[in-house]
Amino acid sequence: MKIALLMENSQAGKNPVVLNELNTVAEPLGHQVFNVGMESEADHHLTYVHLGIMASILINAKAVDFVIAGCGTGQGALMSLNLHPGVYCGYCFDPSDAFLFNQINNGNALALAFAKGFGWGAELNLKYMFEKALTGERGAGYPIERRAPQVQNAGILAEVKAAVLKSDYLETLASIDQSLVKTAVQGERFQSCLFENSQDQAVTDYVKHLLAD
């Protein structure tokens, strides 16, 4: 599985800690991590609004399978990611959140709080959240006897989101303020992840055209 880590300006200084814990869990499982958001406060400026755009491009281009994002509380990132087609983001504050999201909702993104509650033992909480988010049978249900209705409801949610967001993905991307999109895709690590792993040439071409303007 390919996993993108997206961090914005307010918590960029914590990127090395978050990335280390994610790699500690992901690499032994055979997953590949792409650190495509801000890696320090000196990196190009991103807000949680940009994170949603970045996540949507990577997910819709099938460049990554899963996104881990966040901000101070995690709430802004949650709302931003869930605005976009194809992105199903859950909120994660502790390991049980990650486990239940994996088992019940089986989405493709998580929003974490990197300031609220980020105190003593924060790196341990991150590690355990990543373990629960990245292991086990996705969509297995919890409790297991609730699997059938949970799977059904997840499918219904996807249908409702598709109905609400009727436009083609590229039309959706084009309808966003292009200065926001251009800022979101400026990072070299983001571009490398997208261009090397994208399975949708139209999305790749769109981003390349935008960057060339």
Side-chain angles (χ1 to χ4, degrees):
M1 183 162 66
K2 293 181 172 65
I3 304 165
L5 174 61
L6 308 178
M7 294 184 69
E8 44 74 79
N9 67 97
S10 74
Q11 304 304 311
K14 293 171 182 167
N15 179 259
V17 174
V18 180
L19 179 63
N20 179 69
E21 297 306 322
L22 179 55
N23 277 325
T24 297
V25 173
E27 289 180 355
L29 296 171
H31 302 317
Q32 188 175 6
V33 174
F34 298 88
N35 186 29
V36 299
M38 293 181 67
E39 62 178 359
S40 73
E41 293 177 0
D43 209 341
H44 77 289
H45 187 273
L46 297 169
T47 69
Y48 64 80
V49 178
H50 297 114
L51 301 191
I53 297 169
M54 296 164 73
S56 78
I57 291 172
L58 293 174
I59 290 290
N60 281 280
K62 297 182 174 61
V64 302
D65 307 294
F66 199 85
V67 170
I68 292 174
C71 54
T73 64
Q75 302 290 3
L78 175 71
M79 292 187 290
S80 178
L81 268 69
N82 275 327
L83 281 175
H84 296 273
V87 182
Y88 299 89
C89 184
Y91 180 77
C92 187
F93 194 73
D94 59 35
S96 64
D97 287 334
F99 171 80
L100 294 170
F101 177 75
N102 183 351
Q103 295 287 303
I104 297 172
N105 307 107
N106 191 19
N108 55 17
L110 278 177
L112 279 61
F114 293 132
K116 184 177 183 293
F118 202 94
W120 189 77
E123 75 283 359
L124 296 177
N125 192 47
L126 283 171
K127 179 182 178 181
Y128 300 148
M129 285 192 293
F130 295 147
E131 286 178 352
K132 294 302 182 183
L134 301 177
T135 59
E137 181 187 354
R138 304 194 64 79
Y142 184 86
I144 194 65
E145 62 269 19
R146 291 284 302 158
R147 178 173 185 165
Q150 288 168 355
V151 170
Q152 181 182 28
N153 287 335
I156 292 170
L157 179 63
E159 292 174 0
V160 170
K161 185 162 187 172
V164 172
L165 301 170
K166 294 180 180 179
S167 299
D168 174 84
Y169 177 65
L170 290 181
E171 292 179 13
T172 301
L173 199 58
S175 69
I176 302 170
D177 181 339
Q178 295 299 277
S179 65
L180 281 175
V181 180
K182 192 167 186 176
T183 298
V185 302
Q186 282 290 338
E188 292 182 3
R189 286 173 285 106
F190 173 86
Q191 292 172 28
S192 176
C193 177
L194 175 65
F195 298 156
E196 293 175 14
N197 297 285
S198 174
Q199 299 178 46
D200 191 316
Q201 192 60 44
V203 175
T204 301
D205 289 344
Y206 185 96
V207 172
K208 286 183 175 180
H209 178 75
L210 184 64
L211 289 168
D213 285 346

